[in-house]
Amino acid sequence: LGQTMAEPSMAPPVPSSSLESSLVGSSSSLSSSSFYASSAIAGASAGIAEHVAMFPLDTIKTRMQAGSSLSGSQGGGERRGGPPPGTGNGIKATPAAAPVMPLGGLPPSTKQQPTCTSSLASTVPLSNRGTNLGGVCPKVTQQAVTRNNMAAAFAKGKHGGSIMSLYRGVVPVAAAAGPVHAIYFVTYEGAKDKLIGREGDPAQAPLRVALAGASATLAADFTMNPVDVVKQRMQLCDSPYKSAFECLRCVVRTEGIGALWRSYPLTAATNVPFTCVYFTAYETAKAFLGGGDDGPVEQCVAGGVAGGLAAAATTPLDVVKTRMQTFAEEVPKPSLAISATTSSSISTTSTSASASPPSLSSSAALRLILREDGARGLLRGLMPRVLFHVPAAAISWTTYETCKSAMEGSP
């Protein structure tokens, strides 16, 4: 009883200001993570919706912008005034191809038919192409109609004339659009947050919005460029590839893995000004239409206006990029001759000038376009490009803003 009981030790009280600061910091960190997560999910949803819905117009645009021997009916047309592939003016022919491999290892263009021509036409000199030889269509058909006419771009070629032909190459695009657009929108929101602040008014800082957009496209395009190369080769009117994987394998085998990124510098040069115009126009138009209280209608209209302006402004660069990415398909490839005496006897023959597909520099592509079609050639595909981007941007922004608002609990 005489022993005194020790009082329990008490920890010093935590100042209320420190507790509040800790809670605010934790809340801010959680809010930031939630913000970028919602941006990523909304961006992925927007990218898939945009690309899948508008893919047919993108196919028509590619066919109109591709080389003359690619964008028309089978056989295409001869070049007008230009040198044959692989000769001068920045067009570099790669060393001669290795001996023909066994049938099981041949790329698709040598198994069945060279790109956009029959196996018979592949043995005909380029200058004689387009004559009505063995079913090859007249050269005038493509030059006069297909590259100037959206309906002809849809109808011509072995893959033309059906709605499903316009979706060739959509699978890799749909698969890549989600993660790539997640990177795209998260980078944009992050850069805009740093440059303007989350509560800032983007309409009052167009240069900073443009810089944020440029950062977004540089981050996303490096990942998307190989997909774009495969997609455009699948979209061509007489593409020989049965699947995107087959196309990818053939490109890497015959041209090297670098071919998947050969056009990346020009892609960046095209998409940086595109996104600068795109994001600046969107934020300005949204503020103008909504007055700070924008809804789905304002977002849809602002997105369409921004997409149309950006697409029209950058069409010449897009034409050059498309020509670079599809040029290798213009060159005749070795053909497969099947003996008439027995179905089991298969012999492979290659043209005398057999060589691996050449590459095309951006300056050489520009000169080739100007030589073939003049200055108007730089506007090939303007109409389907604008018609693609107006609704695509409207779909993308409306989907993005709606998904983000729903996940953040905004009304």
Side-chain angles (χ1 to χ4, degrees), residues 55 58 168-169 173 226-235:
F55 196 83
D58 186 62
R168 283 179 55 82
V173 170
V227 178
D228 198 47
V229 171
V230 171
K231 176 206 73 172
Q232 290 198 322
R233 297 195 186 200
M234 292 284 291
Q235 288 175 324

Side-chain angles (χ1 to χ4, degrees), residues 5 84 100 137 159 180 337:
M5 297 180 62
V100 179
C137 298
H159 297 304
V180 168

Side-chain angles (χ1 to χ4, degrees), residues 124-218:
V124 179
L126 192 63
S127 59
N128 295 332
R129 291 255 198 100
T131 56
N132 199 3
L133 176 63
V136 179
C137 298
K139 61 186 176 183
V140 68
T141 303
Q142 186 285 126
Q143 283 284 10
V145 180
T146 305
R147 297 179 70 200
N148 294 306
N149 189 290
M150 290 176 60
F154 163 66
K156 298 297 180 182
K158 72 176 185 180
H159 297 304
S162 70
I163 296 298
M164 292 308 298
S165 73
L166 298 179
Y167 280 93
R168 283 179 55 82
V170 73
V171 173
V173 170
V180 168
H181 275 71
I183 295 171
Y184 184 70
F185 279 103
V186 167
T187 304
Y188 171 68
E189 294 288 3
K192 190 175 70 168
D193 192 16
K194 296 293 184 184
L195 294 170
I196 302 172
R198 201 167 298 176
E199 303 301 325
D201 184 3
Q204 301 299 321
L207 292 180
R208 296 185 182 186
V209 169
L211 182 58
S215 303
T217 197
L218 289 174

Side-chain angles (χ1 to χ4, degrees), residues 43-362:
S45 303
I48 294 171
E50 167 193 348
H51 283 285
V52 173
M54 302 310 301
F55 196 83
L57 277 172
D58 186 62
T59 298
I60 291 175
K61 181 219 60 156
T62 297
R63 291 177 182 177
M64 292 180 70
Q65 290 181 344
S68 59
S69 62
L70 298 175
S71 54
S73 57
Q74 195 174 11
E78 65 178 338
R79 301 174 182 279
R80 291 191 291 175
T87 59
N89 294 320
I91 305 173
K92 302 176 182 178
T94 54
V100 179
M101 297 176 290
L103 180 62
L106 286 176
S109 55
T110 54
K111 279 184 183 179
Q112 301 168 11
Q113 62 176 4
T115 316
C116 291
T117 60
S118 66
S119 59
L120 177 61
S122 70
T123 63
V124 179
L126 192 63
S127 59
N128 295 332
R129 291 255 198 100
T131 56
N132 199 3
L133 176 63
V136 179
C137 298
K139 61 186 176 183
V140 68
T141 303
Q142 186 285 126
Q143 283 284 10
V145 180
T146 305
R147 297 179 70 200
N148 294 306
N149 189 290
M150 290 176 60
F154 163 66
K156 298 297 180 182
K158 72 176 185 180
H159 297 304
S162 70
I163 296 298
M164 292 308 298
S165 73
L166 298 179
Y167 280 93
R168 283 179 55 82
V170 73
V171 173
V173 170
V180 168
H181 275 71
I183 295 171
Y184 184 70
F185 279 103
V186 167
T187 304
Y188 171 68
E189 294 288 3
K192 190 175 70 168
D193 192 16
K194 296 293 184 184
L195 294 170
I196 302 172
R198 201 167 298 176
E199 303 301 325
D201 184 3
Q204 301 299 321
L207 292 180
R208 296 185 182 186
V209 169
L211 182 58
S215 303
T217 197
L218 289 174
D221 284 346
F222 186 81
T223 305
M224 194 66 178
N225 208 79
V227 178
D228 198 47
V229 171
V230 171
K231 176 206 73 172
Q232 290 198 322
R233 297 195 186 200
M234 292 284 291
Q235 288 175 324
L236 296 176
C237 63
D238 288 318
S239 172
Y241 306 108
K242 293 181 179 179
S243 68
F245 178 76
E246 189 177 45
C247 179
L248 175 64
R249 184 183 63 180
C250 181
V251 170
V252 172
R253 177 175 295 172
T254 59
E255 301 171 55
I257 196 168
L260 299 175
W261 283 276
R262 186 175 296 133
S263 63
Y264 175 70
L266 186 59
T267 298
T270 302
N271 288 346
V272 166
F274 178 93
T275 51
C276 287
V277 174
Y278 181 59
F279 283 107
T280 303
Y282 174 73
E283 298 288 3
T284 304
K286 186 175 69 168
F288 175 78
L289 294 169
D293 187 21
D294 56 274
V297 174
E298 290 80 8
Q299 294 158 4
C300 181
V301 174
V305 170
L309 288 174
T314 56
T315 292
L317 289 169
D318 188 62
V319 174
V320 177
K321 175 178 75 74
T322 298
R323 197 63 185 271
M324 284 183 68
Q325 292 187 161
T326 61
F327 179 75
E329 301 296 327
E330 298 183 51
V331 184
K333 295 184 175 67
S335 62
L336 180 67
I338 304 179
S339 174
T341 56
T342 172
S343 59
S344 61
S345 176
I346 299 178
S347 61
T348 57
T349 61
S350 61
T351 61
S352 59
S354 174
S356 297
S359 61
L360 189 67
S361 67
S362 57

